[in-house]
Amino acid sequence: MKLFIDSGNIKDIETLVAIGIIDGVTTNPSLLAKEPGNYRDNLKRICQIVKGPVSGEVTATDFAGMIQQGHDIAAIDEYMVVKVPLTRDGIKACKTLSGEGIRVNVTLCFSAAQALLAAKAGATFVSPFVGRLDDVGTTGMDLIREIVDIYENYDFTTEILVASCRHPIHVVEAARSGADIATCPPAVIDQLFNHPLTTIGLEKFLKDWEKTQAVKA
Ligand code: E4P
């Protein structure tokens, strides 16, 4: 399963990419609005750092505006992916942009029916938001399992990008379900590394080793 960073913060992206386990980045207007500087320059820099798919979202809500912004976003860098919302105009824009060879990530997906539409429109990625479903008392991961089933039935090539991941269990469950990608905020990626027994075990190994070295000296 691929791991994407869900952030527009260049420093955080640089730090995590340097570890060598990051495959791409997702952004959204809320994330980019938090960062200083010009959003196009920031997206370009992120592409140069990650050298993998980087999603940048349109803010237009009508078809013509989405197409115009989609072309502008795709022109930023070869790694850019155009993110469109799962609306009627968004699905239409997905079909058009995908037909032109531009990769599209259909975002704000909250149902299996919506995911079916994204696949039919030729989306490269569909982004179901598991955390926001959990927030309203619906098990987000059930949606991921439904989409995996549906896409397998028809050999759709759209990749399932599990979004709105809030904790390591979302990532593990995404991997168990056979989803293609999980996108996580930097803090959640940090949590993936942590286990108290690793910390305690390493401390003990090093202490024991230091004792031996003291005896030898
Ligand atoms: C995905 O592409 C979105 O940017 C993101 O995962 C949304 O997450 P949130 O629900 O934590 O804002």
Side-chain angles (χ1 to χ4, degrees):
M1 187 183 68
K2 285 174 268 189
L3 190 58
F4 286 8
I5 310 171
D6 196 28
S7 173
N9 185 278
I10 289 172
K11 205 160 169 271
D12 285 347
I13 292 168
E14 264 174 345
T15 305
L16 287 169
V17 167
I19 298 172
I21 42 98
I22 297 301
D23 303 289
V25 168
T26 50
T27 68
N28 62 39
S30 307
L31 290 172
L32 288 180
K34 286 187 207 161
E35 303 303 327
N38 173 279
Y39 82 93
R40 289 182 103 263
D41 295 343
N42 289 347
L43 286 170
K44 178 81 187 169
R45 181 80 193 102
I46 293 169
C47 288
Q48 288 166 344
I49 296 166
V50 73
K51 293 185 172 53
V54 175
S55 292
E57 188 163 341
V58 300
T59 49
T61 53
D62 64 301
F63 172 73
M66 285 186 196
I67 296 298
Q68 197 187 1
Q69 289 185 0
H71 287 154
D72 184 56
I73 289 168
I76 294 173
D77 192 279
E78 61 178 318
Y79 287 113
M80 283 308 301
V81 174
V82 176
K83 220 176 180 191
V84 300
L86 212 155
T87 58
R88 283 168 178 76
D89 286 54
I91 289 295
K92 191 175 168 191
C94 173
K95 181 78 182 177
T96 301
L97 292 169
S98 300
E100 294 173 7
I102 293 173
R103 290 180 300 171
V104 178
N105 175 357
V106 179
T107 190
L108 291 169
C109 172
F110 293 97
S111 78
Q114 289 181 320
L116 179 60
L117 299 179
K120 286 188 64 65
T124 301
F125 306 104
V126 65
S127 292
F129 279 38
V130 292
R132 292 193 195 185
L133 279 171
D134 290 352
D135 290 346
V136 296
T138 304
T139 306
M141 275 302 155
D142 286 346
L143 172 59
I144 303 304
R145 289 182 272 270
E146 277 186 274
I147 302 173
V148 168
D149 283 350
I150 292 168
Y151 282 14
E152 274 176 7
N153 281 346
Y154 298 100
D155 289 334
F156 285 127
T157 55
T158 303
E159 292 189 49
I160 303 168
L161 195 169
V162 180
S164 188
C165 288
R166 301 275 169 77
H167 45 68
I169 295 172
H170 278 150
V171 181
V172 171
E173 285 301 308
R176 289 187 68 190
S177 71
D180 301 282
I181 306 150
T183 190
C184 308
V188 173
I189 297 178
D190 278 340
Q191 287 175 330
L192 297 177
F193 285 91
N194 300 338
H195 197 288
L197 290 179
T198 305
T199 312
I200 293 165
L202 183 59
E203 271 172 18
K204 178 149 172 40
F205 285 157
L206 295 182
K207 258 192 201 134
D208 290 346
W209 183 249
E210 266 171 38
K211 273 186 234 157
T212 346
Q213 296 308 101
V215 171
K216 281 182 187 162

Coordinates of all heavy atoms in Angstrom, one line a residue, residues 9-83:
N9 N 2.6 21.5 4.1 CA 3.7 22.1 4.8 C 5.0 21.5 4.3 O 5.3 20.3 4.4 CB 3.6 21.8 6.3 CG 4.7 22.5 7.1 OD1 5.8 22.0 7.1 ND2 4.4 23.7 7.6
I10 N 5.8 22.4 3.6 CA 7.0 22.0 2.9 C 8.0 21.3 3.9 O 8.6 20.3 3.5 CB 7.6 23.1 2.1 CG1 6.6 23.4 0.9 CG2 9.0 22.8 1.6 CD1 6.9 24.6 0.1
K11 N 8.2 21.9 5.1 CA 9.2 21.4 6.0 C 8.8 20.0 6.4 O 9.6 19.1 6.4 CB 9.3 22.3 7.2 CG 10.6 22.2 7.9 CD 10.8 23.5 8.8 CE 12.0 23.2 9.7 NZ 11.7 22.6 11.0
D12 N 7.5 19.8 6.8 CA 7.1 18.4 7.2 C 7.2 17.4 6.0 O 7.6 16.3 6.3 CB 5.6 18.5 7.6 CG 5.4 19.1 9.0 OD1 6.4 19.3 9.7 OD2 4.2 19.5 9.3
I13 N 6.9 17.9 4.8 CA 7.0 17.0 3.7 C 8.5 16.6 3.4 O 8.8 15.4 3.3 CB 6.4 17.6 2.4 CG1 4.8 17.7 2.7 CG2 6.7 16.8 1.2 CD1 4.1 18.6 1.6
E14 N 9.4 17.6 3.5 CA 10.8 17.3 3.3 C 11.3 16.3 4.3 O 12.0 15.3 4.0 CB 11.6 18.6 3.5 CG 11.9 19.3 2.2 CD 12.6 20.7 2.4 OE1 12.6 21.2 3.5 OE2 13.1 21.2 1.4
T15 N 10.9 16.5 5.6 CA 11.4 15.6 6.7 C 10.9 14.2 6.4 O 11.7 13.2 6.6 CB 10.9 16.1 8.0 OG1 11.2 17.5 8.2 CG2 11.4 15.3 9.2
L16 N 9.7 14.0 6.1 CA 9.1 12.7 5.9 C 9.6 12.0 4.6 O 9.9 10.8 4.7 CB 7.6 12.7 6.0 CG 7.0 12.9 7.4 CD1 5.5 13.2 7.3 CD2 7.3 11.7 8.3
V17 N 9.7 12.8 3.6 CA 10.2 12.2 2.3 C 11.6 11.7 2.5 O 12.0 10.6 1.9 CB 10.1 13.2 1.2 CG1 10.8 12.7 -0.1 CG2 8.6 13.4 0.8
A18 N 12.4 12.4 3.3 CA 13.8 12.0 3.5 C 14.0 10.6 4.1 O 15.0 9.9 3.9 CB 14.5 13.0 4.4
I19 N 12.9 10.1 4.8 CA 13.0 8.8 5.4 C 12.9 7.7 4.3 O 13.4 6.6 4.5 CB 11.9 8.6 6.4 CG1 12.0 9.7 7.6 CG2 11.8 7.2 7.0 CD1 10.9 9.7 8.6
G20 N 12.2 8.0 3.2 CA 12.2 7.1 2.1 C 10.9 6.2 2.0 O 11.0 5.2 1.2
I21 N 9.9 6.5 2.7 CA 8.7 5.7 2.7 C 7.4 6.4 2.1 O 6.3 5.9 2.2 CB 8.4 5.0 4.1 CG1 8.5 6.1 5.2 CG2 9.3 3.9 4.3 CD1 7.3 6.7 5.7
I22 N 7.6 7.6 1.5 CA 6.5 8.4 1.1 C 6.4 8.3 -0.4 O 7.3 8.4 -1.2 CB 6.7 9.8 1.5 CG1 6.7 9.9 3.1 CG2 5.6 10.7 0.9 CD1 5.4 9.4 3.8
D23 N 5.1 8.1 -0.9 CA 4.9 7.9 -2.3 C 4.2 9.1 -3.0 O 4.1 9.1 -4.2 CB 4.0 6.6 -2.5 CG 4.6 5.4 -1.9 OD1 5.6 4.9 -2.5 OD2 4.1 4.9 -0.8
G24 N 3.6 10.0 -2.2 CA 2.9 11.1 -2.8 C 2.4 12.0 -1.7 O 2.6 11.8 -0.5
V25 N 1.7 13.1 -2.2 CA 1.2 14.1 -1.3 C -0.3 14.5 -1.7 O -0.5 14.5 -2.9 CB 2.1 15.4 -1.3 CG1 1.4 16.5 -0.6 CG2 3.4 15.1 -0.6
T26 N -1.1 14.7 -0.8 CA -2.4 15.3 -1.1 C -2.5 16.6 -0.3 O -2.0 16.8 0.8 CB -3.6 14.4 -0.6 OG1 -3.4 14.0 0.8 CG2 -3.7 13.1 -1.5
T27 N -3.2 17.6 -1.0 CA -3.4 18.9 -0.4 C -4.9 19.2 -0.6 O -5.6 18.5 -1.4 CB -2.6 20.0 -1.0 OG1 -3.1 20.3 -2.3 CG2 -1.1 19.7 -1.0
N28 N -5.4 20.1 0.1 CA -6.8 20.6 -0.2 C -6.7 22.1 0.1 O -5.7 22.6 0.7 CB -7.8 19.9 0.6 CG -7.6 20.0 2.1 OD1 -7.3 21.1 2.6 ND2 -7.9 18.9 2.9
P29 N -7.8 22.9 -0.2 CA -7.7 24.3 0.0 C -7.5 24.7 1.4 O -6.8 25.7 1.7 CB -9.1 24.8 -0.5 CG -9.5 23.8 -1.6 CD -9.0 22.5 -1.0
S30 N -8.1 23.9 2.4 CA -7.9 24.3 3.8 C -6.4 24.1 4.2 O -5.8 24.9 4.9 CB -8.7 23.4 4.7 OG -10.0 23.4 4.3
L31 N -5.8 23.0 3.7 CA -4.3 22.8 4.1 C -3.4 23.9 3.4 O -2.5 24.4 4.1 CB -3.9 21.4 3.6 CG -4.5 20.2 4.3 CD1 -4.2 18.9 3.6 CD2 -4.1 20.2 5.8
L32 N -3.7 24.2 2.1 CA -2.8 25.2 1.5 C -3.0 26.6 2.0 O -2.1 27.4 2.1 CB -3.1 25.2 0.0 CG -2.6 23.9 -0.8 CD1 -2.9 24.1 -2.3 CD2 -1.1 23.8 -0.7
A33 N -4.2 26.9 2.5 CA -4.5 28.2 3.1 C -3.7 28.5 4.3 O -3.5 29.6 4.7 CB -6.0 28.3 3.4
K34 N -3.2 27.4 5.0 CA -2.5 27.5 6.2 C -1.0 27.9 6.0 O -0.3 28.3 6.9 CB -2.4 26.2 7.0 CG -3.7 25.8 7.7 CD -3.3 24.5 8.5 CE -4.6 23.7 8.7 NZ -4.3 22.3 9.1
E35 N -0.5 27.7 4.7 CA 0.9 27.9 4.5 C 1.2 29.2 3.9 O 0.4 29.8 3.1 CB 1.3 26.8 3.5 CG 1.1 25.4 3.9 CD 1.7 25.1 5.3 OE1 2.8 25.6 5.6 OE2 1.1 24.3 6.1
P36 N 2.4 29.8 4.2 CA 2.7 31.1 3.6 C 3.1 30.9 2.2 O 3.4 29.8 1.8 CB 4.0 31.5 4.5 CG 4.5 30.3 5.0 CD 3.4 29.3 5.2
G37 N 3.2 32.0 1.4 CA 3.7 32.0 0.1 C 2.6 31.7 -0.9 O 1.4 31.5 -0.6
N38 N 3.0 31.6 -2.2 CA 2.1 31.4 -3.3 C 1.8 29.9 -3.4 O 2.7 29.1 -3.5 CB 2.8 32.0 -4.6 CG 2.0 31.7 -5.8 OD1 2.1 30.6 -6.4 ND2 1.2 32.6 -6.3
Y39 N 0.5 29.6 -3.6 CA 0.2 28.1 -3.5 C 0.7 27.4 -4.7 O 1.1 26.2 -4.6 CB -1.4 27.9 -3.4 CG -2.1 28.0 -4.7 CD1 -2.4 26.9 -5.5 CD2 -2.5 29.3 -5.2 CE1 -3.1 27.0 -6.7 CE2 -3.2 29.4 -6.4 CZ -3.5 28.3 -7.2 OH -4.1 28.4 -8.4
R40 N 0.9 28.1 -5.9 CA 1.4 27.4 -7.1 C 2.9 27.1 -6.9 O 3.4 26.0 -7.2 CB 1.2 28.2 -8.3 CG -0.2 28.3 -8.8 CD -0.4 29.1 -10.1 NE -0.6 28.3 -11.2 CZ 0.4 27.9 -12.1 NH1 1.6 28.3 -11.9 NH2 0.1 27.1 -13.1
D41 N 3.6 28.0 -6.3 CA 5.1 27.8 -6.0 C 5.2 26.7 -5.0 O 6.1 25.9 -5.1 CB 5.7 29.1 -5.4 CG 5.7 30.2 -6.5 OD1 5.5 29.9 -7.7 OD2 5.9 31.4 -6.0
N42 N 4.3 26.7 -4.0 CA 4.4 25.7 -2.9 C 4.1 24.3 -3.5 O 4.8 23.3 -3.2 CB 3.4 25.9 -1.8 CG 3.8 27.1 -1.0 OD1 4.9 27.6 -1.1 ND2 2.9 27.7 -0.2
L43 N 3.1 24.2 -4.4 CA 2.8 22.9 -5.0 C 4.0 22.4 -5.9 O 4.4 21.2 -5.9 CB 1.5 23.0 -5.9 CG 0.2 23.0 -5.0 CD1 -1.0 23.3 -5.9 CD2 0.0 21.7 -4.3
K44 N 4.6 23.4 -6.6 CA 5.8 23.0 -7.5 C 6.9 22.5 -6.6 O 7.5 21.5 -6.9 CB 6.2 24.3 -8.2 CG 7.4 24.1 -9.1 CD 7.1 23.5 -10.4 CE 8.3 23.2 -11.3 NZ 7.9 22.4 -12.4
R45 N 7.2 23.2 -5.5 CA 8.2 22.7 -4.6 C 7.9 21.3 -4.0 O 8.8 20.5 -4.0 CB 8.3 23.8 -3.5 CG 9.4 23.5 -2.4 CD 10.8 23.9 -2.9 NE 11.8 23.3 -2.0 CZ 12.6 22.3 -2.4 NH1 12.5 21.7 -3.5 NH2 13.5 21.8 -1.5
I46 N 6.7 21.1 -3.7 CA 6.3 19.8 -3.1 C 6.5 18.7 -4.2 O 7.0 17.6 -3.9 CB 4.8 19.8 -2.7 CG1 4.7 20.7 -1.5 CG2 4.3 18.4 -2.3 CD1 3.2 21.1 -1.0
C47 N 6.2 19.0 -5.5 CA 6.4 18.0 -6.5 C 7.9 17.7 -6.6 O 8.3 16.5 -6.8 CB 5.9 18.6 -7.9 SG 4.2 18.7 -8.0
Q48 N 8.7 18.7 -6.6 CA 10.2 18.5 -6.7 C 10.7 17.6 -5.5 O 11.6 16.8 -5.7 CB 10.9 19.8 -6.7 CG 10.7 20.6 -8.0 CD 11.2 22.1 -7.9 OE1 11.4 22.6 -6.8 NE2 11.4 22.7 -9.0
I49 N 10.1 17.8 -4.4 CA 10.6 17.0 -3.2 C 10.1 15.6 -3.3 O 10.9 14.7 -3.1 CB 10.0 17.7 -1.9 CG1 10.6 19.1 -1.7 CG2 10.4 16.8 -0.7 CD1 9.8 19.9 -0.6
V50 N 8.8 15.4 -3.6 CA 8.3 14.0 -3.4 C 8.4 13.2 -4.7 O 8.5 11.9 -4.6 CB 6.8 14.0 -3.0 CG1 5.9 14.5 -4.1 CG2 6.3 12.7 -2.4
K51 N 8.5 13.8 -5.8 CA 8.6 13.1 -7.1 C 7.6 12.0 -7.3 O 8.0 10.9 -7.7 CB 10.1 12.6 -7.3 CG 11.1 13.8 -7.5 CD 12.4 13.3 -7.8 CE 13.4 14.4 -8.2 NZ 13.5 15.5 -7.2
G52 N 6.4 12.3 -6.9 CA 5.3 11.3 -7.0 C 4.0 12.2 -7.1 O 4.1 13.4 -7.1
P53 N 2.9 11.5 -7.2 CA 1.6 12.3 -7.4 C 1.4 13.3 -6.2 O 1.5 12.9 -5.1 CB 0.5 11.2 -7.3 CG 1.3 9.9 -7.5 CD 2.7 10.1 -7.1
V54 N 1.0 14.5 -6.6 CA 0.7 15.6 -5.7 C -0.6 16.2 -6.1 O -0.8 16.7 -7.2 CB 1.8 16.7 -5.7 CG1 1.4 17.9 -4.8 CG2 3.1 16.2 -5.3
S55 N -1.6 16.0 -5.2 CA -3.0 16.5 -5.6 C -3.2 18.0 -5.2 O -2.9 18.3 -4.1 CB -4.0 15.7 -4.8 OG -4.1 14.4 -5.3
G56 N -3.7 18.7 -6.1 CA -4.0 20.1 -5.9 C -5.5 20.3 -6.3 O -5.9 19.8 -7.4
E57 N -6.2 20.9 -5.5 CA -7.7 20.9 -5.7 C -8.2 22.2 -6.4 O -7.8 23.3 -6.0 CB -8.4 20.7 -4.3 CG -9.9 20.5 -4.4 CD -10.4 19.9 -3.0 OE1 -9.6 19.4 -2.2 OE2 -11.6 20.0 -2.8
V58 N -9.2 22.0 -7.2 CA -9.9 23.2 -7.8 C -10.8 23.8 -6.8 O -11.3 23.1 -5.9 CB -10.7 22.8 -9.1 CG1 -9.9 22.1 -10.2 CG2 -11.9 21.8 -8.7
T59 N -11.0 25.1 -6.9 CA -12.0 25.8 -6.0 C -13.2 26.2 -6.7 O -14.2 26.6 -6.1 CB -11.3 27.0 -5.3 OG1 -10.7 27.8 -6.3 CG2 -10.3 26.5 -4.3
A60 N -13.2 26.1 -8.1 CA -14.4 26.4 -8.8 C -15.4 25.3 -8.6 O -15.0 24.2 -8.3 CB -14.1 26.5 -10.3
T61 N -16.7 25.6 -8.7 CA -17.7 24.6 -8.5 C -18.5 24.3 -9.7 O -19.3 23.4 -9.8 CB -18.7 25.1 -7.4 OG1 -19.2 26.4 -7.7 CG2 -18.0 25.1 -6.0
D62 N -18.2 25.1 -10.8 CA -18.9 24.8 -12.1 C -17.9 24.2 -13.0 O -16.7 24.3 -12.9 CB -19.4 26.2 -12.7 CG -18.2 27.1 -13.0 OD1 -17.5 27.4 -12.1 OD2 -18.1 27.4 -14.2
F63 N -18.5 23.4 -14.0 CA -17.7 22.6 -14.9 C -16.6 23.5 -15.6 O -15.4 23.1 -15.6 CB -18.6 22.0 -16.0 CG -17.9 21.3 -17.1 CD1 -17.3 20.1 -16.9 CD2 -17.9 21.8 -18.4 CE1 -16.6 19.4 -17.9 CE2 -17.2 21.2 -19.4 CZ -16.6 20.0 -19.2
A64 N -17.0 24.6 -16.2 CA -16.1 25.4 -17.0 C -14.9 25.9 -16.1 O -13.7 25.8 -16.5 CB -16.8 26.6 -17.7
G65 N -15.3 26.3 -14.9 CA -14.3 26.8 -14.0 C -13.3 25.7 -13.6 O -12.1 25.9 -13.4
M66 N -13.9 24.5 -13.3 CA -13.0 23.4 -12.9 C -12.1 23.0 -14.0 O -10.9 22.6 -13.8 CB -13.9 22.1 -12.6 CG -14.7 22.2 -11.3 SD -15.5 20.7 -11.0 CE -16.6 21.1 -9.7
I67 N -12.5 23.0 -15.3 CA -11.7 22.7 -16.4 C -10.5 23.7 -16.5 O -9.3 23.3 -16.6 CB -12.5 22.6 -17.7 CG1 -13.5 21.5 -17.7 CG2 -11.5 22.5 -18.9 CD1 -12.9 20.1 -17.5
Q68 N -10.9 25.0 -16.4 CA -9.9 26.0 -16.5 C -8.8 25.9 -15.3 O -7.6 25.9 -15.6 CB -10.6 27.4 -16.4 CG -9.7 28.5 -16.8 CD -10.4 29.9 -16.6 OE1 -11.5 30.0 -16.0 NE2 -9.7 30.9 -17.0
Q69 N -9.3 25.7 -14.1 CA -8.4 25.6 -13.0 C -7.6 24.2 -13.1 O -6.5 24.2 -12.7 CB -9.2 25.6 -11.7 CG -9.7 27.0 -11.3 CD -10.3 27.1 -10.0 OE1 -10.4 26.1 -9.2 NE2 -10.8 28.3 -9.6
G70 N -8.3 23.2 -13.6 CA -7.7 21.9 -13.7 C -6.5 22.0 -14.7 O -5.4 21.5 -14.4
H71 N -6.6 22.7 -15.8 CA -5.5 22.9 -16.7 C -4.4 23.7 -16.1 O -3.2 23.3 -16.2 CB -6.0 23.6 -18.0 CG -6.9 22.8 -18.9 ND1 -7.8 23.3 -19.7 CD2 -6.9 21.4 -19.0 CE1 -8.4 22.3 -20.4 NE2 -7.9 21.2 -20.0
D72 N -4.8 24.7 -15.3 CA -3.7 25.5 -14.6 C -3.0 24.7 -13.6 O -1.7 24.7 -13.5 CB -4.5 26.7 -13.9 CG -3.5 27.6 -13.3 OD1 -2.6 28.1 -14.1 OD2 -3.6 27.9 -12.1
I73 N -3.7 23.8 -12.8 CA -3.0 23.0 -11.8 C -2.1 22.0 -12.5 O -1.0 21.7 -12.1 CB -4.1 22.3 -10.9 CG1 -4.7 23.4 -10.0 CG2 -3.5 21.2 -10.1 CD1 -6.0 22.9 -9.3
A74 N -2.6 21.3 -13.5 CA -1.8 20.3 -14.2 C -0.6 20.9 -14.8 O 0.4 20.2 -15.0 CB -2.7 19.6 -15.3
A75 N -0.6 22.2 -15.2 CA 0.5 22.8 -15.8 C 1.6 23.2 -14.8 O 2.8 23.5 -15.2 CB 0.1 24.1 -16.5
I76 N 1.4 23.1 -13.6 CA 2.4 23.4 -12.5 C 3.6 22.4 -12.6 O 4.7 22.9 -12.6 CB 1.8 23.3 -11.1 CG1 0.7 24.4 -10.9 CG2 2.8 23.4 -10.0 CD1 -0.1 24.4 -9.6
D77 N 3.3 21.2 -12.8 CA 4.4 20.2 -12.8 C 3.8 18.8 -13.3 O 2.6 18.6 -13.2 CB 4.9 20.0 -11.4 CG 6.2 19.2 -11.3 OD1 6.1 17.9 -11.4 OD2 7.2 19.8 -11.3
E78 N 4.7 18.0 -13.9 CA 4.2 16.7 -14.4 C 3.7 15.8 -13.3 O 2.9 14.9 -13.6 CB 5.4 16.0 -15.1 CG 6.6 15.7 -14.3 CD 7.7 15.0 -14.9 OE1 7.4 14.1 -15.7 OE2 8.9 15.4 -14.7
Y79 N 4.1 16.1 -12.0 CA 3.6 15.2 -11.0 C 2.2 15.6 -10.4 O 1.6 14.9 -9.6 CB 4.6 15.2 -9.8 CG 5.8 14.4 -10.1 CD1 7.1 15.0 -10.2 CD2 5.8 13.0 -10.3 CE1 8.2 14.3 -10.5 CE2 6.9 12.3 -10.5 CZ 8.1 12.9 -10.6 OH 9.3 12.2 -10.9
M80 N 1.7 16.8 -10.9 CA 0.4 17.3 -10.4 C -0.8 16.4 -10.8 O -0.9 15.9 -11.9 CB 0.2 18.7 -10.8 CG 0.9 19.8 -10.1 SD 0.9 19.7 -8.3 CE -0.9 20.0 -8.0
V81 N -1.7 16.2 -9.8 CA -2.9 15.5 -10.0 C -4.0 16.5 -9.7 O -3.9 17.3 -8.7 CB -3.1 14.3 -9.1 CG1 -4.4 13.7 -9.1 CG2 -2.0 13.3 -9.3
V82 N -5.1 16.6 -10.5 CA -6.1 17.6 -10.3 C -7.2 17.0 -9.4 O -7.7 15.9 -9.7 CB -6.7 18.1 -11.6 CG1 -7.9 19.0 -11.4 CG2 -5.7 18.7 -12.5
K83 N -7.5 17.7 -8.3 CA -8.5 17.2 -7.4 C -9.8 17.9 -7.7 O -9.8 19.1 -7.7 CB -8.0 17.4 -6.0 CG -8.3 16.4 -5.0 CD -7.7 16.8 -3.7 CE -7.8 15.8 -2.6 NZ -7.4 16.4 -1.3

